[in-house]
Amino acid sequence: MLGAGAIGCLFASYLQRAGCTVTLLHRPGTPERTLRLELADTTTTLQLQQATVADCAPIEHLLITTKAYDVREALRSAQQKLQPDAPVVILANGMGLQEEAREDFPTLPVYCATTTQGAHRVDAGRIRHAGKGATFVGGAGTVLPPPWFAPWKMGVEDCHWDADIDSALWHKLAINCAINPLTAVHGCVNGELAEQPGLAAQVAGLCREISQVSYAAGYTATAQRIAQTAMDVIRATASNQSSMLQDVEAGRQTEINYITGYLLKVADAHGIPAPMNAALYAKVNSLGN
Ligand code: KPL
């Protein structure tokens, strides 16, 4: 696997528990790490085998859990050891990643995953599982779960093969478009988007645009539900800092190009104006990350 963030480590532990041999691929010179994983009922020590791409065995299955903007480079970095038919699963925010991977590696079977599992890093060596959620995996035109999915099904709670993963990814993208950029620009926790009337009106405006783009792109279920779903997620995650706000506060690059940037590309392709989303896109980009 590539990407040792909180979600990546959580999935590494699930897959290891299901009997997979998981190796965390890291850059040369990175110190070996032992991670303490705080699950709801137990604290376990996650002993991950670690290696550089140069030192690792041939890669038969690659899980990428980096930030969206690092996925392309991560995949390229693994190229020398990647077996020609190795399934690659990208578990990252946003959309457009599968297309980029296909541009670089047209014959590689690339799949995507999306999850509502919550996990965060408490400190350098500790990861806390913050909330249970569902995970959907699919792609590469594969309708039925392929054999490599068996340990996912076994080890990851509430994990499903999704023959229409693009709809699931779009639905998550729509929610992220309605919440993340606004919280990043206003420096507020998710809940304030419901509590402050001015911000709630902006969420409603963004959702109207997102709904129109969703209809045009054929994502009807999202189009019909996004306004209600966005508010439900805002209330359910009221005390959370969105991942984009966390990125801004940590001085990291944001994933805006793969979230609102992707929505705007789809809007443009269908000739649908999305001025509120476009304005927020420009604002987040001007935050300097
Ligand atoms: O996915 C999220 C994120 O922060 O990226 C939400 C759902 C907005 C929760 O914070």
Side-chain angles (χ1 to χ4, degrees):
M1 66 175 286
L2 279 156
I7 285 289
C9 291
L10 185 67
F11 276 77
S13 79
Y14 287 157
L15 293 172
Q16 211 162 254
R17 193 169 67 183
C20 297
T21 306
V22 182
T23 304
L24 173 64
L25 298 173
H26 59 61
R27 294 192 184 91
T30 312
E32 296 271 317
R33 278 178 294 189
T34 300
L35 291 162
R36 277 164 61 81
L37 198 62
E38 296 174 9
L39 302 171
D41 38 1
T42 54
T43 295
T44 58
T45 302
L46 176 62
Q47 197 71 53
L48 271 185
Q49 197 171 299
Q50 297 172 48
T52 62
V53 171
D55 296 337
C56 75
I59 302 170
E60 283 156 16
H61 185 358
L62 181 63
L63 169 62
I64 304 182
T65 60
T66 62
K67 288 281 185 186
Y69 47 78
D70 282 331
V71 168
R72 192 168 207 170
E73 197 40 51
L75 186 51
R76 287 178 181 162
S77 76
Q79 185 178 5
Q80 50 171 298
K81 287 292 176 68
L82 206 53
Q83 298 301 286
D85 54 352
V88 175
V89 179
I90 302 172
L91 173 56
N93 279 338
M95 285 182 83
L97 300 158
Q98 239 178 324
E99 289 92 321
E100 283 185 358
R102 270 197 220 112
E103 259 173 53
D104 291 350
F105 302 96
T107 57
L108 207 62
V110 179
Y111 303 87
C112 276
T114 178
T115 187
T116 52
Q117 293 269 16
H120 59 263
R121 200 175 274 277
V122 184
D123 57 40
R126 269 166 72 208
I127 284 161
R128 185 167 298 150
H129 185 202
K132 290 185 180 189
T135 301
F136 296 90
V137 188
T142 314
V143 175
L144 295 174
W148 61 259
F149 186 65
W152 283 73
K153 186 83 199 144
M154 194 196 304
V156 183
E157 207 178 307
D158 205 359
C159 183
H160 312 274
W161 187 258
D162 191 339
D164 182 20
I165 192 69
D166 278 354
S167 292
L169 295 172
W170 180 267
H171 193 66
K172 175 86 186 335
L173 176 124
I175 294 168
N176 287 140
C177 285
I179 300 175
N180 295 26
L182 260 189
T183 59
V185 165
H186 292 277
C188 63
V189 291
N190 296 353
E192 283 188 48
L193 301 185
E195 276 157 28
Q196 291 195 25
L199 291 177
Q202 287 194 59
V203 174
L206 289 168
C207 287
R208 271 192 296 276
E209 293 181 3
I210 296 165
S211 174
Q212 284 165 0
V213 181
S214 302
Y215 270 123
Y219 299 113
T220 312
T222 300
Q224 289 168 342
R225 288 189 281 139
I226 185 59
Q228 184 60 50
T229 308
M231 271 303 156
D232 291 347
V233 173
I234 286 168
R235 294 205 175 91
T237 61
S239 58
N240 281 22
Q241 279 199 332
S242 76
S243 55
M244 198 171 285
L245 175 58
Q246 289 179 40
D247 289 341
V248 168
E249 293 204 332
R252 286 190 295 261
Q253 187 179 340
T254 71
E255 297 178 304
I256 191 78
N257 285 339
Y258 293 89
I259 297 176
T260 307
Y262 188 86
L263 177 96
L264 292 175
K265 273 189 216 155
V266 176
D268 204 39
H270 291 279
I272 309 280
M276 288 185 73
N277 282 279
L280 264 184
Y281 176 73
K283 263 197 192 146
V284 171
N285 273 320
S286 74
L287 294 176
N289 298 292

